[in-house]
Amino acid sequence: MAYEIVEESITLPSDDGSMAAHLVRPQAPGDHPGVVVAFEIFGLTAHVRDVAGRIARLGHTVLVPDFYHRAGTGIDFTDDPDGRRKGLELSGRLTREEALADIGAAVEHLRAGGAPSIGMVGFSFGGHLAYLGATRFALAATAVFYPGWLGSRDIGLGRPEPTLGLTGGIAERGGRLALFVGDEDHAVPAADRAAIAARLAEAGVRHEITVYPGVPHGFFCDVRDTYRKEAADDAWLRVRELFAAELPQGS
């Protein structure tokens, strides 16, 4: 069934005072499973809000933290050279502890609201955030789309050690992780995909990795020319199956 949804802007406590967040929930009463959504480098865009709505219609309470709140509110960059430059600058500055504080605030809000289980989904930079979140919090299911920089120290999230080195934390918390990437992804090349797969296997994480032939980075975003409908539809079906298995209604 598809749930009717309600959308609202809320404020969560933060290490710098407060953090804005976009909340989408089923209109129907009940303790719905929660999902945290992490955006790409472009910020809290209309596309990200649309994705949150799609997940909420499955019967989940969805929260999108504004990870850029330390630099301003409502940041929404366009996918052009200037927007990418600004997005890379802001995403690169976010530290690991700041990100974990933001994810933790979102998880705590969902728990306080009665969510019986919590998952996370993220895209690109947000995929990195989702992977990081799964290493620290009890996320029952994590959907990671084309995560950049997992094995490097090039951005704040990857320091002091690359996030990939924290993979054991996912296994310790018993979460399940599904990763989606195209084989022509410039941000997650074959060597990086192999390293991620090896680390997940070594750590004993319950996981699946789906690699789409001939598909570039950003294939899930249906408002950009990198969109690939067949891959996006397949990934969405797999996310739905993941959440249905690990974040069931009434659990």
Side-chain angles (χ1 to χ4, degrees):
M1 65 175 291
Y3 288 77
E4 295 294 324
I5 60 172
V6 177
E7 302 182 59
E8 58 184 306
S9 296
I10 65 170
T11 301
L12 303 179
S14 167
D15 56 359
D16 69 338
S18 63
M19 171 178 65
H22 181 67
L23 178 70
V24 194
R25 58 179 174 80
Q27 196 172 57
D31 293 334
H32 301 285
V35 176
V36 180
V37 174
F39 54 60
E40 299 172 275
I41 63 169
F42 303 107
L44 219 167
T45 62
H47 169 68
V48 171
R49 293 193 295 272
D50 177 69
V51 170
R54 291 174 66 183
I55 298 171
R57 289 185 184 93
L58 300 177
H60 304 295
T61 298
V62 183
L63 194 55
V64 190
D66 187 352
F67 292 98
Y68 287 166
H69 64 93
R70 295 170 186 84
T73 57
I75 291 174
D76 177 354
F77 297 131
T78 54
D79 182 13
D80 56 29
D82 186 57
R84 285 191 291 275
R85 178 185 61 77
K86 292 176 180 177
L88 286 168
E89 179 184 352
L90 281 189
S91 61
R93 283 185 355 212
L94 186 68
T95 71
R96 176 174 290 169
E97 290 311 311
E98 287 172 342
L100 288 170
D102 292 349
I103 297 169
V107 168
E108 181 56 34
H109 182 85
L110 292 169
R111 283 181 180 151
S117 55
I118 297 174
M120 189 166 179
V121 59
F123 303 87
S124 190
F125 166 65
H128 190 139
L129 284 165
Y131 196 103
L132 175 64
T135 71
R136 181 70 65 91
F137 302 101
L139 302 178
T142 306
V144 177
F145 282 78
Y146 29 86
W149 307 285
L150 282 182
S152 81
R153 296 183 176 87
D154 291 345
I155 62 174
L157 297 182
R159 296 191 286 267
E161 65 173 305
T163 298
L164 195 59
L166 307 178
T167 301
I170 306 174
E172 291 170 8
R173 288 159 180 79
R176 179 178 162 197
L177 184 142
L179 190 146
F180 307 96
V181 65
D183 74 349
E184 293 185 3
D185 192 319
H186 68 281
V188 194
D192 288 7
R193 298 195 298 270
I196 294 167
R199 192 68 192 93
L200 287 166
E202 290 166 4
V205 176
R206 292 188 299 135
H207 73 281
E208 304 88 39
I209 297 178
T210 305
V211 181
Y212 297 101
V215 169
H217 190 77
F219 69 82
F220 195 79
C221 183
D222 58 5
V223 298
R224 297 205 296 270
D225 60 9
T226 54
Y227 176 61
R228 299 294 183 271
K229 185 179 189 304
E230 185 175 350
D233 287 350
D234 180 79
W236 176 241
L237 176 61
R238 292 173 187 270
V239 170
R240 291 182 63 169
E241 291 172 344
L242 172 71
F243 286 172
E246 307 297 335
L247 304 173
Q249 297 293 319
S251 62

